[in-house]
Amino acid sequence: MSRHYDVAAVRSQFPVTERLLYLDSAHQTPLATSVREALLGFYREGHEMAGPKPVWLDRVEQVRARVAKLLNAAPDEIAFTKNTSEGMNIAANALPLTAGDNVLLVEGDHPNNAYAFLNLRRKGVEVRFVPMTGETAQAEMFAPHIDARTRAISLSHVTFHAGHRFDIDGIGALCAERRLYFVIDAMQSTGVIPLNVRASGASLIGSGCHKGLLVPQGLGILYCRQGLDELQPAYLAMSSLAHPPGDYIARADNMALKAGAGRFEIGNFNLPDIHALDASLTLIESVGSSAIEAHLYDLGDRLIERIDHLGIRLIGPRDRANRSPHIYVLDLPAEEWADYLASRQVRVSPERDGIRVSFGLFNMAEDVDRFAQVLAERGTLPARAGAAA
Ligand SMILES: Cc1ncc(COP(=O)(O)O)c(C=O)c1O
């Protein structure tokens, strides 16, 4: 049972839950039946009618508007991309950075956020990794590292490796005050935490759609705040232009860019996944992002209580303000636990510092209890877990 929504009804959309104890949504979410139906519907149209492309492209715009609504953005602030990493690379290369400028990142954050910016070192841009000093990343942590050549801060909203929830509103306010660009990797938060792009003050936000947005790999979204016209795409295609040539002959004298985030789009879209996203947004909207977040926090509280009882330490923050609703890393050596958990039909991820449990909107309190039981049934807890008791 949940205090927030009818989880059993949502769960019936995820038949994999009958076979597996699925606690790995931070890796990828299983396919929901309605999302599968949307994919099949798209393939059927392509198969039987060779696809009504104008209809498909109309749907792209409808889905763009739905994504915008989810993020409290305007439709022309949203571009479709391939994944988060592409979004981060678009962002890094769009910023007007020159030799001697520097960008602040968080030490240990997702490598694909870091590599997008480290690649700018060939242009003479410096990347500074800021160590995390408190429970999570906050504005005060960055302030001492900002100097006259600092131009941007880029970080995850939620960390994949320990479930920190970074204070993006506070860091966004610092960026506004110091006139810095603010780039967010929202891969682990979209669909799980209500994201208000206006409150965050972000310049650019990138996310893939294969976790909280419930779509198979290969589709990403990029938010680019209106008015940042100085941000230029590194790549160009007809789809990036305000007036693409009707005769399909490229001319150098009319290359004005689209005003919105569409200037970062290249060529054809991932149409199957955009159809899938239409269905997954219907599912997410039927529950509501706030209800999903609240339910997952409840599951997290329950998990923390159970592992405390078993003497297993939680890596990462414990309190709701600093932790994500859905990612919990347990201080259990992955090499000693991964096979055992797989043999008990429990799907989790081995992570840097232990075993990562991550919830999706279909998980229930009973899943947490069963997981705790499976942990307890192993009998001897490894030394690391015992030490925390
Ligand atoms: C925080 C974060 N950023 C980026 C990525 C990479 O995502 P993508 O494959 O969409 O580039 C992941 C994937 O797990 C992630 O957790």
Side-chain angles (χ1 to χ4, degrees):
M1 273 310 291
S2 163
R3 300 182 286 150
H4 307 286
Y5 59 93
D6 183 354
V7 184
V10 171
R11 192 179 177 92
S12 68
Q13 284 278 326
F14 294 88
V16 72
T17 55
E18 290 162 24
R19 300 180 43 241
L20 285 179
L21 178 48
Y22 197 86
L23 301 173
D24 207 12
S25 288
H27 172 57
Q28 68 175 56
T29 36
L31 207 57
T33 304
S34 60
V35 178
R36 175 179 176 272
E37 290 308 313
L39 284 163
L40 291 176
F42 172 81
Y43 292 131
R44 205 172 299 120
E45 285 175 342
H47 190 222
E48 293 169 10
M49 294 181 281
K53 195 170 175 188
V55 174
W56 288 344
L57 293 179
D58 277 352
R59 291 189 196 137
V60 169
E61 297 315 310
Q62 288 163 23
V63 178
R64 190 193 303 277
R66 297 186 77 178
V67 171
K69 188 163 161 246
L70 183 78
L71 305 181
N72 193 29
D76 75 349
E77 292 178 309
I78 303 297
F80 287 110
T81 60
K82 190 169 73 171
N83 51 39
T84 324
S85 307
E86 187 177 52
M88 292 298 107
N89 274 277
I90 290 172
N93 288 285
L95 298 181
L97 304 177
T98 54
D101 287 341
N102 67 73
V103 177
L104 308 185
L105 310 185
V106 180
E107 205 170 76
D109 204 345
H110 197 282
N112 286 356
N113 192 350
Y115 287 129
F117 286 93
L118 284 171
N119 197 28
L120 299 182
R121 290 200 305 178
R122 66 195 154 96
K123 284 171 52 177
V125 173
E126 185 196 346
V127 174
R128 295 182 179 170
F129 290 103
V130 175
M132 207 151 42
T133 44
E135 277 279 277
T136 194
Q138 285 163 342
E140 307 82 71
M141 182 180 117
F142 293 98
H145 300 269
I146 298 174
D147 62 22
R149 296 302 303 270
T150 305
R151 304 298 309 278
I153 295 179
S154 179
L155 41 66
S156 296
H157 184 189
V158 164
T159 67
F160 73 102
H161 60 90
H164 304 90
R165 178 179 180 147
F166 289 166
D167 175 20
I168 55 168
D169 293 357
I171 298 165
L174 173 73
C175 288
E177 186 194 317
R178 305 296 293 266
R179 303 176 64 81
L180 308 179
Y181 292 104
F182 185 28
V183 180
I184 301 176
D185 164 352
M187 175 77 257
Q188 291 292 359
S189 59
T190 42
V192 173
I193 297 178
L195 197 56
N196 182 341
V197 297
R198 302 261 168 262
S200 73
S203 317
L204 295 139
I205 301 178
S207 174
C209 299
H210 64 277
K211 303 186 199 272
L213 293 178
L214 312 174
V215 165
Q217 282 84 349
L219 180 66
I221 52 176
L222 177 75
Y223 160 80
C224 177
R225 198 171 77 221
Q226 254 158 17
L228 299 178
D229 298 341
E230 71 280 19
L231 304 189
Q232 300 278 312
Y235 294 159
L236 203 66
M238 269 172 69
S239 49
S240 329
L241 300 181
H243 309 291
D247 58 4
Y248 278 61
I249 297 175
R251 286 182 196 85
D253 61 355
N254 194 3
M255 287 175 46
L257 296 170
K258 274 185 185 158
R263 67 188 185 276
F264 297 109
E265 287 177 343
I266 296 285
N268 277 296
F269 295 101
N270 181 342
L271 289 170
D273 262 8
I274 290 175
H275 282 69
L277 184 58
D278 199 23
S280 70
L281 289 173
T282 300
L283 181 55
I284 291 166
E285 282 170 13
S286 75
V287 177
S289 300
S290 302
I292 294 171
E293 178 187 40
H295 172 61
L296 301 188
Y297 269 130
D298 284 356
L299 295 185
D301 288 345
R302 196 176 184 101
L303 177 69
I304 292 173
E305 199 186 301
R306 296 289 185 276
I307 63 171
D308 280 353
H309 184 70
L310 291 168
I312 299 170
R313 194 168 70 89
L314 178 72
I315 308 275
R318 287 174 73 91
D319 59 303
R320 286 186 175 209
N322 294 329
R323 73 176 215 241
S324 79
H326 65 310
I327 297 180
Y328 300 90
V329 177
L330 279 48
D331 186 13
L332 295 172
E335 61 287 0
E336 292 178 37
W337 282 85
D339 289 349
Y340 167 70
L341 291 170
S343 76
R344 301 295 308 269
Q345 278 73 51
V346 179
R347 185 79 71 83
V348 290
S349 273
E351 199 35 82
R352 266 180 216 170
D353 297 310
I355 291 285
R356 184 182 70 188
V357 171
S358 55
F359 299 121
L361 71 172
F362 50 81
N363 284 118
M364 302 177 126
E366 290 75 3
D367 292 338
V368 177
D369 296 348
R370 206 175 123 218
F371 178 62
Q373 193 189 336
V374 170
L375 290 177
E377 279 170 8
R378 184 156 186 239
T380 5
L381 289 170
R384 212 146 42 113

